Amino acid sequence: MDKTTRSVSLSFLSIKNFLTVEVFRLDRIGSFLSPIILPVFFIVFWQVFAVRIDNSIVLPTVHEVLDILVKPTANLLSIGSLIRNVLVSILRVGLGYFAAVLIAIPLGLFIGYSKKVAEFIMPFVNLFRPIAPLAWVPLVLAWFGVTSIATIFQIERGSLYVLFNNIKVSMIFIIFIGAFFPILTNSIYGVKSVRKTLIDSILTLGANEKDVLLKVLLPAALPSVVTGLRIGLGVAWMCLVSAEMLPGSLAGVGYLITHAYTVARTDIVIAGMIAISFVGGLLDWIFQKIEAKFFKWQSMSK
Amino acid sequence: MDNIVEINGLSKIFVSEKKQAVQALRDVNLDIKDQEFVCLIGPSGSGKSTLLRLMEGLITPTTGTIKVMNKPLKGPIPEAAMVFQEYSLFPWRNIIDNVALGLELRKVPKNKRYEIAGKILERFGIEDFYSSFPHELSGGMKQRAAIARAIAISPQILYMDEPFGALDAFTRFKMQKGLISFWLEEKRTIVFVTHSVEEAVFLGTRVIAMSSRPGRIIGDYKIDLPYPRDRWNEEFGTYFKELMTLMNSGDIEKSMAF
Ligand SMILES: Nc1ncnc2c1ncn2[C@@H]1O[C@H](COP(=O)(O)OP(=O)(O)OP(=O)(O)O)[C@@H](O)[C@H]1O
Ligand SMILES: [Mg+2]
């Protein structure tokens, strides 16, 4: 290569460098902006339409909804504040979810571990999988009616009564059904996807069955179990509104939304929906952080 | 010297989930003496891994017997350890906890097992990676850690299934030298599986050649060369040629059988 071509190719290289750096910078701004573009458009359109329509029952304006959201502690429709209703909902979901976790994880690990157990239980479990949580409503009502946790624990007065009387067994059941299958399926998958070599490895090092379970199967299945927990919580949270439409419900975001609908307060309906989205997103985000922090090895060792 | 492993009339037939039978090994007879360095060579599918897993006690023979240290084998024994062909470190454990796992299972107290594992890591030149996780290590280092883990339980017999198969030539040479010096110093029995005739002649006191369909032993050579060995030595070349010829004829036989 002679001098000129070299310097030409060098300057070409530096242009290329410059371009990639610039493009990279644009890219960074882009990746920061791109998630917000659609929501901003959406809100703008919403506001434009709302002003056009000028009927807050069909579509309230953005600021009407914001007014409710910025005062989350204000009493709405005399059924308590937004915060209070969200908390009641979280408590309900928490209980149903907790019950699902307690049963689905051990069951899933067990099914994943033993082919015999799987052959015995899976056909039965699969009978129930296609039934949407909502389809259980009539049956659940026939069984539990408006029985609440307060009835079960025989709490008859006090602030605990107010709280627990709001938590009906039927709602917990619906939420339980929603969370159960994702957790079960992922726990089974977690155990089944453990590589045979890892089990052989620990056996050659002198492990007994308990060691295999505690030192290989459980830790190897854990990331998948946590994914199941995350998805299960998402589904449980989605089942909330349907659960809170059940009779006997006098609080909760789901109830707030349906009640606001019956009194034609669309602004509260939308505020409730936003609260549901926010809490659901937050829970999911927390789980994703946990997954990323503790299970880095999983994505990197494949 | 006593036989440490005695294999008689061994065969293994796998039955797949579709109920198809594969004969992985047929009529294998093999005695291994204490402190031998045996290399098993053979083409893919000749049952090398299967033979190793049988000797380790991870699977049971279809017919035949295996005695290790004069006792019929019933499962993995504390006197034997294995390095696997596939990547086998526990990804959620850091290196020291991987290497110390065998001792952990034997209920050795934590500081004691870290001390032992630490010494082995030093010997393998990976002491800087005590607290790293497997995914942070290069392929060569991972394999060193896997060998360190097997050695940490101080086995008399070490089974190694193509431990250097995935490494580049340079790293592989280094690991081969390290393994030879370990064997010379520690007086253990090693059964080492490889695809490479050259690696087998470089390492072993004895080379067992295998062929496929069904897997069987077709040759048993004593390599009478002093360590460290020189790949350019004339006798090395003679052994190499002889084995290559045998392996190739095995291949021809196989391709004619099609
Ligand atoms: N668990 C199993 N189930 C069914 N067949 C098997 C099983 N393990 C091995 N085989 C079969 O047995 C034969 C020998 O396999 P093996 O893994 O021992 O060969 P190998 O010599 O180690 O080959 P490679 O050099 O590729 O590792 C192959 O035909 C293989 O398909
Ligand atoms: Mg193999």
Side-chain angles (χ1 to χ4, degrees), chain B residues 41-43 194-201 207-210 218-219 221 223 235-252:
Chain B
I41 53 168
T194 174
H195 267 127
S196 152
V197 170
E198 182 239 81
E199 184 170 59
V201 179
V207 177
I208 311 279
M210 298 183 66
I218 54 167
Y221 294 80
I223 310 293
E235 282 177 89
F236 189 99
T238 316
Y239 281 117
F240 179 80
K241 258 186 231 159
E242 201 172 334
L243 273 160
M244 272 314 243
T245 317
L246 176 73
M247 299 309 294
N248 284 333
S249 70
D251 269 359
I252 289 165

PDB file of all heavy atoms in Angstrom, chain B residues 41-43 194-201 207-210 218-219 221 223 235-252:
ATOM      1  N   ILE B  41      -9.340 -45.031  23.228  1.00  0.00           N
ATOM      2  CA  ILE B  41      -9.619 -44.255  22.024  1.00  0.00           C
ATOM      3  C   ILE B  41     -10.621 -45.009  21.166  1.00  0.00           C
ATOM      4  O   ILE B  41     -10.738 -46.233  21.244  1.00  0.00           O
ATOM      5  CB  ILE B  41      -8.373 -43.955  21.159  1.00  0.00           C
ATOM      6  CG1 ILE B  41      -7.628 -45.250  20.849  1.00  0.00           C
ATOM      7  CG2 ILE B  41      -7.475 -42.967  21.832  1.00  0.00           C
ATOM      8  CD1 ILE B  41      -6.584 -45.065  19.778  1.00  0.00           C
ATOM      9  N   GLY B  42     -11.317 -44.248  20.347  1.00  0.00           N
ATOM     10  CA  GLY B  42     -12.286 -44.884  19.467  1.00  0.00           C
ATOM     11  C   GLY B  42     -13.143 -43.819  18.834  1.00  0.00           C
ATOM     12  O   GLY B  42     -13.240 -42.703  19.338  1.00  0.00           O
ATOM     13  N   PRO B  43     -13.751 -44.146  17.703  1.00  0.00           N
ATOM     14  CA  PRO B  43     -14.603 -43.161  17.032  1.00  0.00           C
ATOM     15  C   PRO B  43     -15.850 -42.855  17.851  1.00  0.00           C
ATOM     16  O   PRO B  43     -16.167 -43.555  18.808  1.00  0.00           O
ATOM     17  CB  PRO B  43     -14.973 -43.856  15.718  1.00  0.00           C
ATOM     18  CG  PRO B  43     -14.831 -45.311  15.994  1.00  0.00           C
ATOM     19  CD  PRO B  43     -13.734 -45.442  17.005  1.00  0.00           C
ATOM     20  N   THR B 194     -10.339 -40.403  24.901  1.00  0.00           N
ATOM     21  CA  THR B 194     -10.026 -39.363  23.915  1.00  0.00           C
ATOM     22  C   THR B 194     -10.351 -39.843  22.502  1.00  0.00           C
ATOM     23  O   THR B 194     -10.445 -41.029  22.235  1.00  0.00           O
ATOM     24  CB  THR B 194      -8.543 -38.945  24.002  1.00  0.00           C
ATOM     25  OG1 THR B 194      -8.251 -38.044  22.953  1.00  0.00           O
ATOM     26  CG2 THR B 194      -7.616 -40.146  23.882  1.00  0.00           C
ATOM     27  N   HIS B 195     -10.544 -38.855  21.623  1.00  0.00           N
ATOM     28  CA  HIS B 195     -10.733 -39.139  20.207  1.00  0.00           C
ATOM     29  C   HIS B 195      -9.390 -39.223  19.504  1.00  0.00           C
ATOM     30  O   HIS B 195      -9.305 -39.669  18.373  1.00  0.00           O
ATOM     31  CB  HIS B 195     -11.478 -37.973  19.534  1.00  0.00           C
ATOM     32  CG  HIS B 195     -12.944 -38.157  19.482  1.00  0.00           C
ATOM     33  ND1 HIS B 195     -13.808 -37.205  19.946  1.00  0.00           N
ATOM     34  CD2 HIS B 195     -13.703 -39.167  19.025  1.00  0.00           C
ATOM     35  CE1 HIS B 195     -15.035 -37.637  19.773  1.00  0.00           C
ATOM     36  NE2 HIS B 195     -15.004 -38.811  19.223  1.00  0.00           N
ATOM     37  N   SER B 196      -8.389 -38.666  20.174  1.00  0.00           N
ATOM     38  CA  SER B 196      -7.136 -38.382  19.485  1.00  0.00           C
ATOM     39  C   SER B 196      -6.084 -39.438  19.784  1.00  0.00           C
ATOM     40  O   SER B 196      -5.674 -39.640  20.920  1.00  0.00           O
ATOM     41  CB  SER B 196      -6.656 -36.991  19.905  1.00  0.00           C
ATOM     42  OG  SER B 196      -5.262 -36.908  19.817  1.00  0.00           O
ATOM     43  N   VAL B 197      -5.622 -40.106  18.726  1.00  0.00           N
ATOM     44  CA  VAL B 197      -4.588 -41.120  18.854  1.00  0.00           C
ATOM     45  C   VAL B 197      -3.321 -40.483  19.438  1.00  0.00           C
ATOM     46  O   VAL B 197      -2.682 -41.029  20.333  1.00  0.00           O
ATOM     47  CB  VAL B 197      -4.288 -41.746  17.477  1.00  0.00           C
ATOM     48  CG1 VAL B 197      -3.055 -42.622  17.559  1.00  0.00           C
ATOM     49  CG2 VAL B 197      -5.483 -42.536  16.989  1.00  0.00           C
ATOM     50  N   GLU B 198      -3.029 -39.309  18.945  1.00  0.00           N
ATOM     51  CA  GLU B 198      -1.816 -38.617  19.376  1.00  0.00           C
ATOM     52  C   GLU B 198      -1.865 -38.309  20.878  1.00  0.00           C
ATOM     53  O   GLU B 198      -0.902 -38.530  21.603  1.00  0.00           O
ATOM     54  CB  GLU B 198      -1.683 -37.347  18.547  1.00  0.00           C
ATOM     55  CG  GLU B 198      -0.472 -36.547  18.842  1.00  0.00           C
ATOM     56  CD  GLU B 198      -0.852 -35.166  19.276  1.00  0.00           C
ATOM     57  OE1 GLU B 198      -1.202 -35.009  20.456  1.00  0.00           O
ATOM     58  OE2 GLU B 198      -0.809 -34.259  18.457  1.00  0.00           O
ATOM     59  N   GLU B 199      -3.011 -37.846  21.337  1.00  0.00           N
ATOM     60  CA  GLU B 199      -3.150 -37.545  22.762  1.00  0.00           C
ATOM     61  C   GLU B 199      -2.990 -38.828  23.588  1.00  0.00           C
ATOM     62  O   GLU B 199      -2.340 -38.843  24.633  1.00  0.00           O
ATOM     63  CB  GLU B 199      -4.509 -36.909  23.042  1.00  0.00           C
ATOM     64  CG  GLU B 199      -4.691 -36.483  24.488  1.00  0.00           C
ATOM     65  CD  GLU B 199      -5.939 -35.627  24.702  1.00  0.00           C
ATOM     66  OE1 GLU B 199      -7.060 -36.101  24.411  1.00  0.00           O
ATOM     67  OE2 GLU B 199      -5.786 -34.482  25.148  1.00  0.00           O
ATOM     68  N   ALA B 200      -3.567 -39.908  23.086  1.00  0.00           N
ATOM     69  CA  ALA B 200      -3.496 -41.181  23.803  1.00  0.00           C
ATOM     70  C   ALA B 200      -2.054 -41.652  23.943  1.00  0.00           C
ATOM     71  O   ALA B 200      -1.614 -42.052  25.021  1.00  0.00           O
ATOM     72  CB  ALA B 200      -4.334 -42.231  23.084  1.00  0.00           C
ATOM     73  N   VAL B 201      -1.295 -41.568  22.844  1.00  0.00           N
ATOM     74  CA  VAL B 201       0.097 -42.031  22.892  1.00  0.00           C
ATOM     75  C   VAL B 201       0.950 -41.089  23.748  1.00  0.00           C
ATOM     76  O   VAL B 201       1.886 -41.509  24.413  1.00  0.00           O
ATOM     77  CB  VAL B 201       0.677 -42.159  21.467  1.00  0.00           C
ATOM     78  CG1 VAL B 201       2.130 -42.605  21.520  1.00  0.00           C
ATOM     79  CG2 VAL B 201      -0.135 -43.137  20.646  1.00  0.00           C
ATOM     80  N   VAL B 207      -2.814 -48.025  25.823  1.00  0.00           N
ATOM     81  CA  VAL B 207      -3.893 -47.477  24.996  1.00  0.00           C
ATOM     82  C   VAL B 207      -4.824 -48.613  24.585  1.00  0.00           C
ATOM     83  O   VAL B 207      -4.380 -49.632  24.066  1.00  0.00           O
ATOM     84  CB  VAL B 207      -3.343 -46.778  23.731  1.00  0.00           C
ATOM     85  CG1 VAL B 207      -4.493 -46.292  22.865  1.00  0.00           C
ATOM     86  CG2 VAL B 207      -2.440 -45.617  24.110  1.00  0.00           C
ATOM     87  N   ILE B 208      -6.111 -48.430  24.868  1.00  0.00           N
ATOM     88  CA  ILE B 208      -7.121 -49.401  24.469  1.00  0.00           C
ATOM     89  C   ILE B 208      -7.879 -48.810  23.293  1.00  0.00           C
ATOM     90  O   ILE B 208      -8.432 -47.723  23.407  1.00  0.00           O
ATOM     91  CB  ILE B 208      -8.137 -49.661  25.609  1.00  0.00           C
ATOM     92  CG1 ILE B 208      -7.442 -49.950  26.943  1.00  0.00           C
ATOM     93  CG2 ILE B 208      -9.141 -50.735  25.216  1.00  0.00           C
ATOM     94  CD1 ILE B 208      -6.955 -51.342  27.101  1.00  0.00           C
ATOM     95  N   ALA B 209      -7.913 -49.536  22.187  1.00  0.00           N
ATOM     96  CA  ALA B 209      -8.620 -49.025  21.014  1.00  0.00           C
ATOM     97  C   ALA B 209      -9.988 -49.681  20.919  1.00  0.00           C
ATOM     98  O   ALA B 209     -10.134 -50.875  21.144  1.00  0.00           O
ATOM     99  CB  ALA B 209      -7.813 -49.319  19.756  1.00  0.00           C
ATOM    100  N   MET B 210     -10.979 -48.866  20.604  1.00  0.00           N
ATOM    101  CA  MET B 210     -12.347 -49.379  20.518  1.00  0.00           C
ATOM    102  C   MET B 210     -12.928 -49.103  19.138  1.00  0.00           C
ATOM    103  O   MET B 210     -12.480 -48.222  18.426  1.00  0.00           O
ATOM    104  CB  MET B 210     -13.218 -48.757  21.596  1.00  0.00           C
ATOM    105  CG  MET B 210     -12.733 -49.097  22.990  1.00  0.00           C
ATOM    106  SD  MET B 210     -13.793 -48.440  24.276  1.00  0.00           S
ATOM    107  CE  MET B 210     -15.281 -49.365  24.020  1.00  0.00           C
ATOM    108  N   ILE B 218     -10.785 -53.403  20.261  1.00  0.00           N
ATOM    109  CA  ILE B 218     -10.120 -54.023  19.116  1.00  0.00           C
ATOM    110  C   ILE B 218      -8.599 -54.013  19.255  1.00  0.00           C
ATOM    111  O   ILE B 218      -7.899 -54.533  18.387  1.00  0.00           O
ATOM    112  CB  ILE B 218     -10.514 -53.349  17.785  1.00  0.00           C
ATOM    113  CG1 ILE B 218     -10.265 -51.839  17.849  1.00  0.00           C
ATOM    114  CG2 ILE B 218     -11.963 -53.637  17.430  1.00  0.00           C
ATOM    115  CD1 ILE B 218     -10.335 -51.170  16.485  1.00  0.00           C
ATOM    116  N   GLY B 219      -8.096 -53.419  20.299  1.00  0.00           N
ATOM    117  CA  GLY B 219      -6.644 -53.402  20.443  1.00  0.00           C
ATOM    118  C   GLY B 219      -6.241 -52.940  21.835  1.00  0.00           C
ATOM    119  O   GLY B 219      -6.969 -52.194  22.481  1.00  0.00           O
ATOM    120  N   TYR B 221      -2.597 -51.757  23.673  1.00  0.00           N
ATOM    121  CA  TYR B 221      -1.169 -51.506  23.470  1.00  0.00           C
ATOM    122  C   TYR B 221      -0.507 -50.981  24.728  1.00  0.00           C
ATOM    123  O   TYR B 221      -1.057 -50.110  25.406  1.00  0.00           O
ATOM    124  CB  TYR B 221      -0.955 -50.457  22.370  1.00  0.00           C
ATOM    125  CG  TYR B 221      -1.378 -50.930  21.013  1.00  0.00           C
ATOM    126  CD1 TYR B 221      -2.719 -50.926  20.645  1.00  0.00           C
ATOM    127  CD2 TYR B 221      -0.438 -51.394  20.103  1.00  0.00           C
ATOM    128  CE1 TYR B 221      -3.121 -51.374  19.411  1.00  0.00           C
ATOM    129  CE2 TYR B 221      -0.823 -51.843  18.856  1.00  0.00           C
ATOM    130  CZ  TYR B 221      -2.166 -51.830  18.511  1.00  0.00           C
ATOM    131  OH  TYR B 221      -2.548 -52.267  17.283  1.00  0.00           O
ATOM    132  N   ILE B 223       2.370 -48.682  25.985  1.00  0.00           N
ATOM    133  CA  ILE B 223       3.233 -47.640  25.421  1.00  0.00           C
ATOM    134  C   ILE B 223       4.481 -47.550  26.286  1.00  0.00           C
ATOM    135  O   ILE B 223       4.445 -46.998  27.392  1.00  0.00           O
ATOM    136  CB  ILE B 223       2.527 -46.264  25.386  1.00  0.00           C
ATOM    137  CG1 ILE B 223       1.145 -46.365  24.736  1.00  0.00           C
ATOM    138  CG2 ILE B 223       3.401 -45.236  24.670  1.00  0.00           C
ATOM    139  CD1 ILE B 223       1.142 -46.691  23.280  1.00  0.00           C
ATOM    140  N   GLU B 235      10.030 -43.451  18.092  1.00  0.00           N
ATOM    141  CA  GLU B 235       9.176 -44.509  18.634  1.00  0.00           C
ATOM    142  C   GLU B 235       7.750 -44.017  18.828  1.00  0.00           C
ATOM    143  O   GLU B 235       6.793 -44.764  18.624  1.00  0.00           O
ATOM    144  CB  GLU B 235       9.724 -44.993  19.976  1.00  0.00           C
ATOM    145  CG  GLU B 235      10.906 -45.932  19.834  1.00  0.00           C
ATOM    146  CD  GLU B 235      11.433 -46.315  21.185  1.00  0.00           C
ATOM    147  OE1 GLU B 235      10.949 -47.319  21.741  1.00  0.00           O
ATOM    148  OE2 GLU B 235      12.296 -45.568  21.709  1.00  0.00           O
ATOM    149  N   PHE B 236       7.632 -42.748  19.237  1.00  0.00           N
ATOM    150  CA  PHE B 236       6.303 -42.150  19.356  1.00  0.00           C
ATOM    151  C   PHE B 236       5.581 -42.287  18.026  1.00  0.00           C
ATOM    152  O   PHE B 236       4.425 -42.709  17.950  1.00  0.00           O
ATOM    153  CB  PHE B 236       6.430 -40.674  19.753  1.00  0.00           C
ATOM    154  CG  PHE B 236       5.131 -40.020  20.115  1.00  0.00           C
ATOM    155  CD1 PHE B 236       4.763 -39.862  21.437  1.00  0.00           C
ATOM    156  CD2 PHE B 236       4.254 -39.559  19.122  1.00  0.00           C
ATOM    157  CE1 PHE B 236       3.570 -39.268  21.767  1.00  0.00           C
ATOM    158  CE2 PHE B 236       3.048 -38.963  19.453  1.00  0.00           C
ATOM    159  CZ  PHE B 236       2.707 -38.818  20.785  1.00  0.00           C
ATOM    160  N   GLY B 237       6.321 -41.966  16.959  1.00  0.00           N
ATOM    161  CA  GLY B 237       5.765 -42.053  15.617  1.00  0.00           C
ATOM    162  C   GLY B 237       5.331 -43.467  15.266  1.00  0.00           C
ATOM    163  O   GLY B 237       4.273 -43.670  14.645  1.00  0.00           O
ATOM    164  N   THR B 238       6.122 -44.451  15.698  1.00  0.00           N
ATOM    165  CA  THR B 238       5.783 -45.846  15.398  1.00  0.00           C
ATOM    166  C   THR B 238       4.465 -46.241  16.058  1.00  0.00           C
ATOM    167  O   THR B 238       3.571 -46.802  15.420  1.00  0.00           O
ATOM    168  CB  THR B 238       6.907 -46.786  15.894  1.00  0.00           C
ATOM    169  OG1 THR B 238       8.168 -46.221  15.534  1.00  0.00           O
ATOM    170  CG2 THR B 238       6.749 -48.170  15.297  1.00  0.00           C
ATOM    171  N   TYR B 239       4.353 -45.923  17.354  1.00  0.00           N
ATOM    172  CA  TYR B 239       3.103 -46.212  18.061  1.00  0.00           C
ATOM    173  C   TYR B 239       1.918 -45.520  17.395  1.00  0.00           C
ATOM    174  O   TYR B 239       0.850 -46.099  17.199  1.00  0.00           O
ATOM    175  CB  TYR B 239       3.174 -45.732  19.520  1.00  0.00           C
ATOM    176  CG  TYR B 239       3.939 -46.646  20.437  1.00  0.00           C
ATOM    177  CD1 TYR B 239       5.099 -46.216  21.069  1.00  0.00           C
ATOM    178  CD2 TYR B 239       3.483 -47.939  20.706  1.00  0.00           C
ATOM    179  CE1 TYR B 239       5.800 -47.025  21.926  1.00  0.00           C
ATOM    180  CE2 TYR B 239       4.181 -48.769  21.552  1.00  0.00           C
ATOM    181  CZ  TYR B 239       5.336 -48.311  22.169  1.00  0.00           C
ATOM    182  OH  TYR B 239       6.004 -49.132  23.005  1.00  0.00           O
ATOM    183  N   PHE B 240       2.156 -44.259  17.066  1.00  0.00           N
ATOM    184  CA  PHE B 240       1.093 -43.446  16.474  1.00  0.00           C
ATOM    185  C   PHE B 240       0.592 -44.083  15.174  1.00  0.00           C
ATOM    186  O   PHE B 240      -0.605 -44.266  14.975  1.00  0.00           O
ATOM    187  CB  PHE B 240       1.625 -42.031  16.225  1.00  0.00           C
ATOM    188  CG  PHE B 240       0.628 -41.114  15.594  1.00  0.00           C
ATOM    189  CD1 PHE B 240      -0.357 -40.517  16.360  1.00  0.00           C
ATOM    190  CD2 PHE B 240       0.668 -40.846  14.225  1.00  0.00           C
ATOM    191  CE1 PHE B 240      -1.286 -39.674  15.779  1.00  0.00           C
ATOM    192  CE2 PHE B 240      -0.257 -40.004  13.646  1.00  0.00           C
ATOM    193  CZ  PHE B 240      -1.234 -39.420  14.425  1.00  0.00           C
ATOM    194  N   LYS B 241       1.559 -44.472  14.314  1.00  0.00           N
ATOM    195  CA  LYS B 241       1.202 -45.049  13.016  1.00  0.00           C
ATOM    196  C   LYS B 241       0.415 -46.351  13.199  1.00  0.00           C
ATOM    197  O   LYS B 241      -0.599 -46.581  12.558  1.00  0.00           O
ATOM    198  CB  LYS B 241       2.456 -45.337  12.201  1.00  0.00           C
ATOM    199  CG  LYS B 241       2.711 -44.289  11.143  1.00  0.00           C
ATOM    200  CD  LYS B 241       3.876 -44.712  10.268  1.00  0.00           C
ATOM    201  CE  LYS B 241       4.882 -43.573  10.179  1.00  0.00           C
ATOM    202  NZ  LYS B 241       6.231 -44.006   9.800  1.00  0.00           N
ATOM    203  N   GLU B 242       0.950 -47.176  14.111  1.00  0.00           N
ATOM    204  CA  GLU B 242       0.337 -48.480  14.331  1.00  0.00           C
ATOM    205  C   GLU B 242      -1.123 -48.316  14.761  1.00  0.00           C
ATOM    206  O   GLU B 242      -2.033 -48.953  14.229  1.00  0.00           O
ATOM    207  CB  GLU B 242       1.123 -49.201  15.420  1.00  0.00           C
ATOM    208  CG  GLU B 242       0.919 -50.706  15.399  1.00  0.00           C
ATOM    209  CD  GLU B 242       1.876 -51.401  16.373  1.00  0.00           C
ATOM    210  OE1 GLU B 242       2.957 -50.834  16.655  1.00  0.00           O
ATOM    211  OE2 GLU B 242       1.513 -52.477  16.860  1.00  0.00           O
ATOM    212  N   LEU B 243      -1.342 -47.402  15.690  1.00  0.00           N
ATOM    213  CA  LEU B 243      -2.709 -47.173  16.183  1.00  0.00           C
ATOM    214  C   LEU B 243      -3.591 -46.566  15.107  1.00  0.00           C
ATOM    215  O   LEU B 243      -4.761 -46.932  14.954  1.00  0.00           O
ATOM    216  CB  LEU B 243      -2.678 -46.260  17.414  1.00  0.00           C
ATOM    217  CG  LEU B 243      -2.482 -47.034  18.710  1.00  0.00           C
ATOM    218  CD1 LEU B 243      -1.964 -46.125  19.809  1.00  0.00           C
ATOM    219  CD2 LEU B 243      -3.807 -47.661  19.135  1.00  0.00           C
ATOM    220  N   MET B 244      -3.032 -45.619  14.354  1.00  0.00           N
ATOM    221  CA  MET B 244      -3.798 -44.991  13.285  1.00  0.00           C
ATOM    222  C   MET B 244      -4.263 -46.033  12.280  1.00  0.00           C
ATOM    223  O   MET B 244      -5.422 -46.019  11.842  1.00  0.00           O
ATOM    224  CB  MET B 244      -2.930 -43.961  12.549  1.00  0.00           C
ATOM    225  CG  MET B 244      -2.951 -42.569  13.149  1.00  0.00           C
ATOM    226  SD  MET B 244      -4.593 -41.997  13.566  1.00  0.00           S
ATOM    227  CE  MET B 244      -4.761 -40.613  12.503  1.00  0.00           C
ATOM    228  N   THR B 245      -3.344 -46.930  11.915  1.00  0.00           N
ATOM    229  CA  THR B 245      -3.685 -47.976  10.959  1.00  0.00           C
ATOM    230  C   THR B 245      -4.828 -48.831  11.498  1.00  0.00           C
ATOM    231  O   THR B 245      -5.810 -49.105  10.798  1.00  0.00           O
ATOM    232  CB  THR B 245      -2.459 -48.882  10.700  1.00  0.00           C
ATOM    233  OG1 THR B 245      -1.318 -48.048  10.564  1.00  0.00           O
ATOM    234  CG2 THR B 245      -2.659 -49.715   9.460  1.00  0.00           C
ATOM    235  N   LEU B 246      -4.702 -49.189  12.763  1.00  0.00           N
ATOM    236  CA  LEU B 246      -5.752 -50.007  13.379  1.00  0.00           C
ATOM    237  C   LEU B 246      -7.094 -49.282  13.377  1.00  0.00           C
ATOM    238  O   LEU B 246      -8.124 -49.836  12.982  1.00  0.00           O
ATOM    239  CB  LEU B 246      -5.358 -50.338  14.821  1.00  0.00           C
ATOM    240  CG  LEU B 246      -6.414 -51.099  15.606  1.00  0.00           C
ATOM    241  CD1 LEU B 246      -6.477 -52.535  15.121  1.00  0.00           C
ATOM    242  CD2 LEU B 246      -6.118 -51.054  17.092  1.00  0.00           C
ATOM    243  N   MET B 247      -7.074 -48.017  13.774  1.00  0.00           N
ATOM    244  CA  MET B 247      -8.331 -47.264  13.856  1.00  0.00           C
ATOM    245  C   MET B 247      -8.952 -47.127  12.475  1.00  0.00           C
ATOM    246  O   MET B 247     -10.156 -47.234  12.315  1.00  0.00           O
ATOM    247  CB  MET B 247      -8.102 -45.865  14.443  1.00  0.00           C
ATOM    248  CG  MET B 247      -7.555 -45.833  15.852  1.00  0.00           C
ATOM    249  SD  MET B 247      -8.469 -46.843  17.009  1.00  0.00           S
ATOM    250  CE  MET B 247     -10.008 -45.981  17.030  1.00  0.00           C
ATOM    251  N   ASN B 248      -8.115 -46.859  11.469  1.00  0.00           N
ATOM    252  CA  ASN B 248      -8.648 -46.700  10.116  1.00  0.00           C
ATOM    253  C   ASN B 248      -9.231 -47.992   9.587  1.00  0.00           C
ATOM    254  O   ASN B 248     -10.276 -47.990   8.941  1.00  0.00           O
ATOM    255  CB  ASN B 248      -7.560 -46.184   9.176  1.00  0.00           C
ATOM    256  CG  ASN B 248      -7.307 -44.713   9.403  1.00  0.00           C
ATOM    257  OD1 ASN B 248      -8.212 -44.004   9.853  1.00  0.00           O
ATOM    258  ND2 ASN B 248      -6.101 -44.256   9.128  1.00  0.00           N
ATOM    259  N   SER B 249      -8.551 -49.124   9.858  1.00  0.00           N
ATOM    260  CA  SER B 249      -9.100 -50.398   9.395  1.00  0.00           C
ATOM    261  C   SER B 249     -10.435 -50.663  10.081  1.00  0.00           C
ATOM    262  O   SER B 249     -11.360 -51.170   9.468  1.00  0.00           O
ATOM    263  CB  SER B 249      -8.115 -51.533   9.675  1.00  0.00           C
ATOM    264  OG  SER B 249      -8.053 -51.777  11.063  1.00  0.00           O
ATOM    265  N   GLY B 250     -10.534 -50.277  11.320  1.00  0.00           N
ATOM    266  CA  GLY B 250     -11.815 -50.396  12.028  1.00  0.00           C
ATOM    267  C   GLY B 250     -12.896 -49.619  11.305  1.00  0.00           C
ATOM    268  O   GLY B 250     -14.008 -50.110  11.114  1.00  0.00           O
ATOM    269  N   ASP B 251     -12.530 -48.433  10.829  1.00  0.00           N
ATOM    270  CA  ASP B 251     -13.491 -47.597  10.107  1.00  0.00           C
ATOM    271  C   ASP B 251     -13.936 -48.240   8.808  1.00  0.00           C
ATOM    272  O   ASP B 251     -15.101 -48.188   8.450  1.00  0.00           O
ATOM    273  CB  ASP B 251     -12.867 -46.234   9.806  1.00  0.00           C
ATOM    274  CG  ASP B 251     -13.154 -45.256  10.927  1.00  0.00           C
ATOM    275  OD1 ASP B 251     -13.842 -45.685  11.884  1.00  0.00           O
ATOM    276  OD2 ASP B 251     -12.706 -44.111  10.846  1.00  0.00           O
ATOM    277  N   ILE B 252     -12.949 -48.829   8.101  1.00  0.00           N
ATOM    278  CA  ILE B 252     -13.266 -49.450   6.813  1.00  0.00           C
ATOM    279  C   ILE B 252     -14.240 -50.609   7.027  1.00  0.00           C
ATOM    280  O   ILE B 252     -15.269 -50.715   6.369  1.00  0.00           O
ATOM    281  CB  ILE B 252     -11.976 -49.941   6.113  1.00  0.00           C
ATOM    282  CG1 ILE B 252     -11.179 -48.728   5.636  1.00  0.00           C
ATOM    283  CG2 ILE B 252     -12.318 -50.856   4.939  1.00  0.00           C
ATOM    284  CD1 ILE B 252      -9.758 -49.037   5.265  1.00  0.00           C
TER     285      ILE B 252
END
